[in-house]
Amino acid sequence: MLGTLDIFGAFSTKAATAPAFNTTAVNPHPVVTDLTICIVSPIASPSTCELDPRIWHRVEKDLYLYTSQQSAWLYVALANEEELIAGDLLLVDVRVDEPPPRQTLDQSWESRPGGIWVLRSKFSGKIDKAVTEVDVLFGADAVDPRLQWKLMRSALQLNAQPKVPVARLSVLRGRAKARPDTKAALRVRADGKFKIVQIADTHMVTGIGICKDAIDAHGNPLPESEADSLTVNFVEKILDVEKPDLIILTRDQMHHDVSDSQSALFKLVAPVIKRSIPFAAVFGNHDSEGIHALSRE
């Protein structure tokens, strides 16, 4: 059965967000007040990261991607917009692995673990410039196609193994704007044509990946190269040449045992979303293979 793929809703539990609140004329929104990283070691007891669970929410992604005996987690402090009062500190800017900006009387940057610098400002009645959601994506080639989200260029400083895809913060400021209606009725063109492009078995991974069996136009083997970037470039060229009315992603969008499905899948759909082309997907067996793969439920 073919179903429309809600690529954003599929990962709604990954980013740290607060429960929904009662709606008013303007829907209240959770607002980020602080960030931190907690390192959990099996040989360290008790935990060195005691945080109030009523305020601090964990982004459910191990920053080491489950490759180390210890784990690292991003925690986000959230406040209910309805309960904010003048003077409450809100997170308004985040930087990673950069020298702290020059301090001023109005701006004071604070250091956090992992090379994070945060800037907090007093609540003035609006949250337009405040950080409202935070997520983590993995890989030097990671992208975030979500509207208004900004992916940090620099990776978190975690001293992870060299082969582990780097962890990068992505943040949303202000109220998320409504996405264009992706469920609008598909229509045949004025010339009577309707073009569908099928993209199958892309086998995207978390991180760049390695292409081991590439061949040239004459069938001659090519040396190993970066895998996912070649796939994305090929997809982009196809979309620009064919200009389809609908894209169907069929089976094995991701390779088996992918450590972060969100990062892998975002790379594939980013060119499609950028071109505002409707798409749907049918997942294959590899998409749900692995401890941290997508659930078939």
Side-chain angles (χ1 to χ4, degrees), residues 43-207:
I43 60 175
S45 181
S47 172
T48 57
C49 193
E50 299 293 340
L51 300 172
D52 188 342
R54 296 170 298 179
I55 300 173
W56 291 90
H57 302 258
R58 190 172 85 173
V59 177
E60 293 301 327
K61 298 182 179 183
D62 177 13
L63 302 179
Y64 292 126
L65 284 177
Y66 317 98
T67 61
S68 173
Q69 288 188 338
Q70 64 181 8
S71 58
W73 305 91
L74 176 70
Y75 279 82
V76 180
L78 295 173
N80 184 348
E81 180 187 359
E82 290 182 320
E83 299 174 356
L84 294 174
I85 60 175
D88 284 349
L89 290 176
L90 306 181
L91 193 64
V92 295
D93 202 358
V94 182
R95 300 191 183 185
V96 177
D97 193 24
E98 297 180 14
R102 185 173 58 184
Q103 307 288 345
T104 67
L105 293 177
D106 299 328
Q107 293 187 335
S108 179
W109 288 84
E110 304 170 65
S111 175
R112 297 292 183 266
I116 298 174
W117 290 90
V118 300
L119 177 63
R120 299 192 293 170
S121 180
K122 293 181 180 180
F123 176 58
S124 60
K126 296 183 179 180
I127 64 168
D128 303 62
K129 297 182 180 180
V131 174
T132 50
E133 292 188 50
V134 182
D135 203 354
V136 181
L137 297 174
F138 295 88
D141 62 338
V143 294
D144 196 334
R146 293 173 292 188
L147 190 64
Q148 294 178 251
W149 284 77
K150 179 182 179 182
L151 180 64
M152 302 286 105
R153 292 184 179 181
S154 299
L156 296 173
Q157 299 174 8
L158 299 170
N159 296 320
Q161 300 176 24
K163 292 185 178 181
V164 177
V166 295
R168 298 163 63 187
L169 296 183
S170 190
V171 301
L172 171 69
R173 287 184 176 84
R175 302 179 190 278
K177 297 178 181 178
R179 299 198 308 273
D181 185 6
T182 56
K183 297 183 180 180
L186 299 175
R187 298 184 183 279
V188 175
R189 301 177 187 177
D191 61 3
K193 296 181 180 180
F194 186 87
K195 182 179 288 187
I196 300 174
V197 165
Q198 178 183 4
I199 301 174
D201 293 286
T202 53
H203 285 266
M204 306 297 286
V205 299
T206 306

Side-chain angles (χ1 to χ4, degrees), residues 236-268:
E236 289 179 328
K237 290 178 181 178
I238 292 296
L239 298 182
D240 290 338
V241 170
E242 298 296 340
K243 295 180 172 54
D245 301 294
L246 176 65
I247 294 171
I248 305 296
L249 304 171
T250 57
R251 71 182 191 181
D252 298 343
Q253 276 72 249
M254 292 167 289
H255 202 48
H256 62 81
D257 204 22
V258 169
S259 50
D260 184 59
S261 299
Q262 183 181 22
S263 297
L265 204 50
F266 272 11
K267 291 186 291 185
L268 175 60

